């Protein structure tokens, strides 16, 4: 689990928008760019070449945040 203070200051490195924390998947989601940044050993990996593209299902099932 990430620290709430850290979650409050993290932003997408590409568009600077807020991120959604998916604890079950251990990812930080940027819906603006449709990317999921991994969290490895409790550390967010905020590199665009490490992010994965959201699936069409993930985009369609997006929760309102």
């Amino acid at each position: 689990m990430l620290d709430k203070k850290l979650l409050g200051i993290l932003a997408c490195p590409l568009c600077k928008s807020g991120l959604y924390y998916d604890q079950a998947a251990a990812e930080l989601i940027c819906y603006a760019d449709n990317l999921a940044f991994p969290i490895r050993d409790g550390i967010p990996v905020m590199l665009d070449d490490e992010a994965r593209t959201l699936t069409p299902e993930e985009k369609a099932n997006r929760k309102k945040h």
Side-chain angles (χ1 to χ4, degrees), residues 27-40:
E27 293 178 324
L28 292 170
I29 309 289
C30 175
Y31 285 110
D33 289 321
N34 295 312
L35 293 174
F37 296 93
I39 300 171
R40 296 189 187 124

Side-chain angles (χ1 to χ4, degrees), residues 1-29:
M1 176 160 217
L2 290 178
D3 183 272
K4 289 184 182 189
K5 288 182 183 180
L6 178 61
L7 288 173
I9 61 172
L10 284 176
C12 175
L14 302 176
C15 70
K16 310 301 185 234
S17 68
L19 298 167
Y20 168 71
Y21 176 40
D22 184 344
Q23 186 175 0
E27 293 178 324
L28 292 170
I29 309 289

Side-chain angles (χ1 to χ4, degrees), residues 41-63:
D41 298 323
I43 301 170
V45 181
M46 305 301 291
L47 302 170
D48 58 343
D49 61 341
E50 292 285 330
R52 69 172 183 84
T53 303
L54 297 179
T55 66
E57 294 80 21
E58 289 172 315
K59 293 179 208 177
N61 293 327
R62 173 184 170 182
K63 297 177 183 177

